[in-house]
């Protein structure tokens, strides 16, 4: 009974499937079974065979067989059914699968292999053949019904194409951490080096290049470079005491002395170290507010202009005026006071009656002078006179031995200062002037006439310098009057003073300077001199 019921169930399912596929085929909507879809389209053309089958068996014919007389015997129905099924299978040329649950259906691969291994022999449709084939197919159907399907399981597995690519394993976390740490250390080292370089670079520079304010700083006895650096930093002189310590160590500055020092924030570390090596004072001195620089060869009026300029600061000014300074150096009481203070220096000072323009012309030594808040024009002039006395003190005895007064030495030195521009030239010029004086000749210096005219040291052309008025009625006209003139025409340098005291002994009586290069050419005769004048002066004035 069980087998019969199973058979009826299978037949009924088969019948329903046939009817459904035929109806859908006629309507042009025949779905494609999954098992048929999986067959190779090159070997089997399912759709064309199904269409042919649908044309041969109309829906009405099949329905009439199925819905015919219910009184037909089971064997007849079964035989007709099996014949139709066999014809369908033969037409589609592929094995038939019963409608069973998907989990019991055989896999496509197994069905294909089973179909390929089975040899199909074409047969003519007949009732007998149908009966025989029905029995065989019924057995096969029963096996297929009982055989579980593996297609679902296989299909459920993802295909190779659909497989997701394997995810790359993450990199070693420890390696990443080490790399990050190394990068951070490199960046930190670079930043530290850059910061250290800039720190040292700025530390060795002046604290404030524009601040010339002088401060009194006391360095105690036995202070180390580290302690000195700390003192200077707290006093607002340098940026960093530690940098000062290492800078002086690396630059080999040693032997710093105790005492009071006047230092300013615009001083470099090297200049401060040199001051400390030179030594300070036992007692504090007034802070320096600025500096006045007097170049060599300036006249007294030109010196008065320089007194107004603070050389310690760019475009700086001093509290002194030109008129104030000129009033002091011409004041009789001041001159008298200086005579009493420096009697040897002013022993031969010319009187105004000699025709000198300024009594103190040439007696102020060219150098750099500092001033404080208590300085005045008088104290500045006094410092310059004091410096000249200090420079000449070693030569006073030599002057006496040479039968030359201080005024004569300074007068000749001031002329030599303007006639030559180097030590060798100055000694030769001084020797030539001595030869002329000894021969009873005049000095014939153009510079003295330019001074008398008020043009010395001013912007004059070469033609004006060469074509002076040799007939000028002035005691400074050395073309008319013998000797060195009434007094100096400028403040000579120590080099020119030494050249006059130690001249070169030569046989020259004449000389002329090239108006373009300043080089001096000497001559023994007037004829040689005229050739030199034409070559080095007149030919270049055209």
């Amino acid at each position: 009974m069980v087998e019969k019921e199973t058979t009826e169930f299978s037949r009924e399912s088969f019948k329903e499937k046939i009817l459904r596929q035929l109806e859908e085929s006629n309507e042009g909507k025949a779905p494609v079974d999954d098992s048929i879809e999986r067959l190779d389209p090159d070997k089997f053309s399912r759709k064309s065979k199904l269409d042919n089958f649908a044309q041969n068996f109309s829906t009405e014919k099949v329905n009439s067989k199925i819905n015919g007389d219910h009184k037909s015997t089971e064997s007849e129905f079964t035989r007709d059914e099996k014949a139709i099924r066999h014809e369908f299978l033969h037409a589609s040329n592929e094995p038939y699968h019963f409608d069973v649950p998907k989990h019991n259906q055989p896999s496509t691969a197994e069905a294909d292999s089973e179909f390929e291994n089975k040899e199909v022999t074409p047969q003519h449709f007949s009732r007998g053949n149908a009966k025989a084939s029905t029995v065989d197919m019924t057995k096969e159907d029963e096996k297929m019904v009982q055989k579980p399907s593996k297609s679902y399981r296989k299909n459920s597995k993802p295909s190779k194409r659909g497989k997701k690519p394997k995810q790359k394993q993450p990199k070693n976390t420890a390696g990443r951490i080490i790399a990050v740490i190394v990068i951070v250390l490199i960046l930190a080292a670079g930043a530290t080096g850059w910061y250290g370089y800039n720190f040292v670079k700025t530390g060795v520079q002046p604290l404030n290049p524009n601040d010339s304010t002088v401060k009194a700083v006391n360095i105690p006895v036995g202070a180390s470079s580290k302690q000195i650096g700390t003192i200077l930093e707290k006093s607002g002189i340098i940026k960093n005491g530690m940098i000062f310590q290492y800078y002086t160590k690396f630059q080999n500055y040693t032997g710093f002395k105790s005492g009071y020092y006047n230092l300013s924030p615009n001083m470099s570390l090297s200049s401060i170290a040199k001051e400390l090596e030179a030594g300070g004072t036992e007692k504090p001195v007034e802070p320096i507010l600025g500096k006045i620089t007097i170049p060599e060869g300036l006249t007294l009026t030109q010196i008065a202009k320089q007194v107004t300029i603070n050389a310690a600061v760019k475009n700086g000014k001093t509290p002194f005026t030109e008129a104030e300074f000129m009033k002091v150096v011409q004041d009789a009481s001041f001159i008298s006071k200086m005579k009493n203070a420096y009697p040897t220096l002013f022993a031969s000072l010319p009187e105004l009656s000699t025709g000198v323009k300024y009594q103190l012309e040439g007696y102020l030594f060219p150098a750099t002078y500092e001033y404080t808040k208590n300085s005045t024009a008088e104290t500045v002039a006094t410092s310059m006179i004091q410096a000249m006395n200090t420079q000449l003190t070693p030569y006073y005895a030599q002057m006496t031995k040479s039968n030359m007064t201080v005024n004569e030495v300074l007068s000749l030195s001031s002329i030599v200062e303007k006639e030559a521009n180097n030590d060798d030239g100055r000694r030769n010029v001084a020797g030539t002037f001595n030869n002329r004086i000894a021969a009873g000749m005049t000095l014939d210096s153009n510079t003295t006439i330019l001074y008398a005219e008020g043009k010395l040291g001013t912007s004059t052309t070469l033609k004006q310098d060469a074509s002076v008025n040799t007939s000028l009625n002035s005691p400074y006209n050395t073309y008319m009057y013998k000797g060195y003139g009434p007094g100096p025409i400028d403040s000579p340098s120590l080099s020119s003073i030494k050249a006059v005291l130690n001249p070169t002994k030569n046989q020259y009586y004449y000389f002329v300077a090239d108006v373009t290069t300043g080089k001096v050419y000497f001559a023994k005769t007037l004829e040689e001199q005229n050739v030199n004048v034409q070559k080095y002066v007149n030919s270049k004035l055209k």
Side-chain angles (χ1 to χ4, degrees):
M1 291 295 292
V2 176
E3 293 180 358
K4 186 176 181 181
E5 291 176 357
T6 303
T7 303
E8 290 178 355
F9 172 77
S10 299
R11 291 171 182 169
E12 186 65 17
S13 299
F14 170 77
K15 179 182 68 174
E16 292 176 355
K17 180 176 180 179
I18 294 300
L19 291 175
R20 177 173 51 82
Q21 290 183 352
L22 290 176
E23 289 176 351
E24 291 176 350
S25 175
N26 290 333
E27 296 175 356
K29 300 180 182 179
V32 181
D33 187 62
D34 292 340
S35 61
I36 300 173
E37 287 283 352
R38 287 190 294 271
L39 295 178
D40 188 354
D42 296 333
K43 294 181 179 181
F44 304 99
S45 179
R46 181 190 68 252
K47 184 174 180 181
S48 61
K49 293 181 180 182
L50 288 176
D51 292 341
N52 295 334
F53 181 79
Q55 293 176 3
N56 296 330
F57 297 92
S58 62
T59 306
E60 291 82 6
K61 183 177 180 181
V62 175
N63 289 338
S64 63
K65 286 186 178 182
I66 295 174
N67 298 323
D69 190 4
H70 294 284
K71 295 181 181 181
S72 301
T73 61
E74 180 180 351
S75 61
E76 290 178 355
F77 178 80
T78 302
R79 182 174 61 253
D80 295 337
E81 178 185 352
K82 290 182 178 180
I84 295 172
R85 181 173 52 182
H86 178 74
E87 191 69 32
F88 171 76
L89 291 176
H90 181 69
S92 61
N93 208 12
E94 69 177 80
Y96 176 76
H97 301 278
F98 289 97
D99 289 334
V100 293
K102 289 185 178 180
H103 61 273
N104 291 329
Q105 292 180 356
S107 64
T108 304
E110 291 180 357
D112 293 343
S113 62
E114 183 179 351
F115 179 79
E116 290 174 357
N117 294 332
K118 185 176 179 180
E119 192 175 296
V120 181
T121 303
Q123 296 180 2
H124 298 287
F125 180 78
S126 65
R127 198 176 287 268
N129 292 338
K131 188 180 288 187
S133 61
T134 300
V135 175
D136 296 336
M137 294 186 66
T138 302
K139 293 180 180 180
E140 293 177 2
D141 294 341
E142 290 177 357
K143 292 180 181 180
M144 295 175 68
V145 170
Q146 294 176 0
K147 188 176 182 180
S149 174
K150 297 181 181 179
S151 61
Y152 175 78
R153 297 173 189 172
K154 290 186 177 181
N155 293 335
S156 63
K157 295 182 180 180
S159 62
K160 291 184 179 180
R161 293 183 179 178
K163 286 186 178 180
K164 295 182 179 179
K166 292 184 179 180
Q167 296 183 353
K168 294 182 179 180
Q169 293 184 353
K171 293 182 178 179
N172 193 333
T173 304
R176 289 182 176 179
I177 294 174
I178 293 173
V180 171
I181 292 174
V182 170
I183 293 173
V184 171
L185 290 176
I186 292 173
L187 293 176
T192 303
W194 179 83
Y195 174 79
Y197 170 77
N198 285 277
F199 179 75
V200 174
K201 181 181 178 181
T202 56
V204 299
Q205 295 176 351
L207 178 63
N208 187 353
N210 299 322
D211 187 2
S212 60
T213 304
V214 179
K215 301 178 182 179
V217 180
N218 181 30
I219 304 300
V221 178
S224 63
S225 59
K226 180 179 180 181
Q227 292 172 331
I228 294 174
T230 303
I231 294 173
L232 294 176
E233 182 180 356
K234 290 182 178 180
S235 301
I237 303 300
I238 62 175
K239 292 181 180 180
N240 189 280
M242 182 182 66
I243 293 179
F244 175 83
Q245 175 189 355
Y246 288 105
Y247 176 82
T248 54
K249 180 179 180 180
F250 293 143
Q251 296 295 326
N252 295 322
Y253 287 110
T254 57
F256 295 150
K257 299 178 177 61
S258 61
Y260 288 91
Y261 296 86
N262 289 330
L263 307 174
S264 59
N266 64 348
M267 296 178 67
S268 63
L269 295 186
S270 60
S271 60
I272 294 174
K274 291 176 181 178
E275 290 282 342
L276 295 173
E277 285 182 332
T281 59
E282 294 182 359
K283 295 180 180 180
V285 296
E286 291 181 321
I288 305 302
L289 298 182
K291 296 180 179 181
I292 299 172
T293 299
I294 307 300
E296 302 167 342
L298 296 187
T299 63
L300 193 62
T301 55
Q302 292 170 341
I303 291 175
K305 293 179 180 179
Q306 287 295 118
V307 169
T308 65
I309 301 173
N310 180 7
V313 182
K314 186 178 181 180
N315 299 325
K317 296 293 182 180
T318 68
F320 318 114
T321 64
E322 183 178 351
E324 181 184 8
F325 184 81
M326 289 301 297
K327 181 179 179 181
V328 170
V329 295
Q330 296 180 81
D331 183 66
S333 61
F334 174 74
I335 295 173
S336 177
K337 186 167 60 174
M338 292 297 101
K339 282 184 177 182
N340 295 331
Y342 308 103
T344 306
L345 176 64
F346 290 109
S348 58
L349 183 70
E351 297 293 334
L352 290 176
S353 58
T354 61
V356 294
K357 296 178 69 172
Y358 306 105
Q359 282 185 284
L360 295 182
E361 182 78 81
Y363 283 82
L364 280 65
F365 188 75
T368 299
Y369 302 91
E370 297 176 343
Y371 64 90
T372 67
K373 63 179 180 179
N374 295 322
S375 298
T376 62
E378 183 176 332
T379 59
V380 171
T382 302
S383 297
M384 294 179 183
I385 293 172
Q386 181 184 1
M388 179 61 79
N389 182 70
T390 301
Q391 295 296 329
L392 293 182
T393 297
Y395 303 102
Y396 285 147
Q398 186 178 353
M399 294 178 190
T400 303
K401 187 178 180 179
S402 301
N403 296 321
M404 294 184 71
T405 65
V406 173
N407 188 65
E408 290 176 339
V409 170
L410 291 178
S411 296
L412 183 57
S413 297
S414 65
I415 298 173
V416 171
E417 182 71 31
K418 292 298 184 181
E419 295 288 1
N421 55 14
N422 57 69
D423 292 345
D424 185 63
R426 288 166 182 161
R427 286 192 295 269
N428 273 298
V429 169
T432 303
F433 280 143
N434 286 338
N435 292 338
R436 292 178 69 89
I437 292 291
M441 303 170 65
T442 57
L443 296 183
D444 292 354
S445 175
N446 290 6
T447 58
T448 58
I449 297 178
L450 291 173
Y451 175 78
E453 294 176 337
K455 297 178 181 180
L456 187 65
T458 61
S459 299
T460 56
T461 64
L462 296 176
K463 189 174 183 179
Q464 289 175 330
D465 292 341
S467 58
V468 294
N469 184 11
T470 57
S471 60
L472 179 67
N473 186 17
S474 170
Y476 290 98
N477 187 350
T478 54
Y479 280 89
M480 294 179 62
Y481 302 98
K482 295 181 182 180
Y484 308 108
I489 60 175
D490 59 56
S491 290
S493 63
L494 185 60
S495 175
S496 295
I497 294 173
K498 289 180 178 181
V500 170
L501 295 174
N502 300 285
T504 299
K505 294 182 179 181
N506 55 46
Q507 303 299 320
Y508 301 126
Y509 290 90
Y510 305 94
F511 66 87
V512 64
D514 189 323
V515 293
T516 56
T517 64
K519 183 178 180 180
V520 180
Y521 296 89
F522 297 89
K524 296 179 180 180
T525 63
L526 181 60
E527 289 75 11
E528 293 177 355
Q529 173 70 358
N530 291 335
V531 172
N532 289 338
V533 169
Q534 179 62 32
K535 183 177 181 180
Y536 298 111
V537 179
N538 295 337
S539 64
K540 297 182 180 183
L541 296 179
K542 296 179 180 179

